[in-house]
Amino acid sequence: MAAASVSLKSYGSETITAYSCSTCKNKNIKTEARSYCKICDFCFCDKCVNLHNQLFQNHVTYGPKEMEEWPVAIATQKFLENCEVHKGKKLKLFCEDHSQLCCNNCVLLSHRQCSKVTLIADTTLPVTDHQQLSDKINSILDQLIKLQINWESNLKSLQVSYEERLIEVRSMRKRINDTLDKLEETTLKEMDELNASWNASLKFDVDTCSRLRTELTCLCDAIKKIGKKNKELAFIAHQKSEEMIKQVDKYLNRN
């Protein structure tokens, strides 16, 4: 049958994009079909349809503009018959209790207690205006397209906003870093100056203490060595010691 030689370039796509030529397929050659003959139930490419028309002048063939006369594509048939719950299983039954299409697994697992499960082949097709149904689907598709465009626009806006905020954060981070660098530089300079000042002051005090200790120690040793041997030197040592003690007391009180 012709249906066996019909294929989709993209399985599950919305429209049939190509039919394979039945004659070429029998020769293991894949060629896109451009015509269909109902009597032969075959699809033909442009080359094969010319040979067909020469052999069967009374046969009517249908071109791409008359797709309603062509058979249902196998890909379309598989797409419709495939059970969404149990992949690879065909929808063969209909549960009227749940208004649900079922494969054998569906019935076995979920619809064994249902009272109205019938073969799809035995069901009566609902009276529906196909054009009305098609218009309804197209209307919903238009809404989905608009909604998708809206979400995509929001996604782009979000990305732009994110990048702007990222630039702001990085700019703020740079300003903070620059401020911290300047603060560090100023603080280190002040610390160096303060350290130098305190270092000089403390070194002066250390030197002063050392000098005063040395002078007092020398005077103390001199007093011990002179004793009562020399009144004049003892008087000088006494006076110098008193003067030195005054200097040390003044220094100690100041510090």
Side-chain angles (χ1 to χ4, degrees), residues 125-138:
L125 187 67
V127 179
T128 306
D129 184 352
H130 290 286
Q131 185 60 46
Q132 183 179 355
L133 181 61
S134 178
D135 291 342
K136 184 176 181 180
I137 292 174
N138 286 330

Side-chain angles (χ1 to χ4, degrees), residues 66-132:
E66 302 161 304
M67 295 301 296
E68 67 275 2
E69 302 294 340
W70 289 48
V72 177
I74 286 180
T76 301
Q77 183 176 339
K78 287 183 178 180
F79 168 70
L80 292 174
E81 289 181 342
N82 184 53
C83 178
E84 295 182 4
V85 179
H86 305 100
K87 301 299 181 182
K89 297 295 182 179
K90 288 186 178 182
L91 296 170
K92 296 182 177 181
L93 303 131
F94 180 71
C95 175
E96 295 185 27
D97 293 350
H98 296 94
S99 295
Q100 185 175 338
L101 296 167
C102 308
C103 68
N104 291 334
N105 287 6
C106 291
V107 174
L108 182 64
L109 297 173
S110 306
H111 300 274
R112 284 186 296 176
Q113 304 299 324
C114 297
S115 60
K116 296 182 179 179
V117 177
T118 56
L119 289 170
I120 293 176
D122 296 336
T123 58
T124 303
L125 187 67
V127 179
T128 306
D129 184 352
H130 290 286
Q131 185 60 46
Q132 183 179 355

Side-chain angles (χ1 to χ4, degrees), residues 99-212:
S99 295
Q100 185 175 338
L101 296 167
C102 308
C103 68
N104 291 334
N105 287 6
C106 291
V107 174
L108 182 64
L109 297 173
S110 306
H111 300 274
R112 284 186 296 176
Q113 304 299 324
C114 297
S115 60
K116 296 182 179 179
V117 177
T118 56
L119 289 170
I120 293 176
D122 296 336
T123 58
T124 303
L125 187 67
V127 179
T128 306
D129 184 352
H130 290 286
Q131 185 60 46
Q132 183 179 355
L133 181 61
S134 178
D135 291 342
K136 184 176 181 180
I137 292 174
N138 286 330
S139 176
I140 294 173
L141 287 174
D142 288 340
Q143 295 179 51
L144 288 174
I145 290 172
K146 291 178 181 178
L147 187 60
Q148 182 178 345
I149 292 173
N150 182 57
W151 291 135
E152 290 173 350
S153 176
N154 288 340
L155 188 61
K156 291 180 181 178
S157 298
L158 176 64
Q159 184 63 27
V160 171
S161 177
Y162 168 78
E163 291 175 357
E164 290 176 349
R165 292 294 297 161
L166 190 61
I167 292 173
E168 290 178 9
V169 170
R170 287 176 176 169
S171 177
M172 182 182 298
R173 175 63 183 269
K174 186 178 183 304
R175 291 198 299 271
I176 292 173
N177 286 344
D178 291 343
T179 302
L180 288 175
D181 289 341
K182 290 180 181 178
L183 180 61
E184 179 185 18
E185 182 181 353
T186 303
T187 303
L188 289 176
K189 184 178 179 181
E190 292 176 353
M191 287 175 61
D192 289 342
E193 293 174 352
L194 186 63
N195 181 64
S197 175
W198 276 101
N199 188 65
S201 177
L202 291 172
K203 190 175 185 304
F204 173 80
D205 287 331
V206 169
D207 292 342
T208 300
C209 284
S210 178
R211 179 179 60 80
L212 292 174

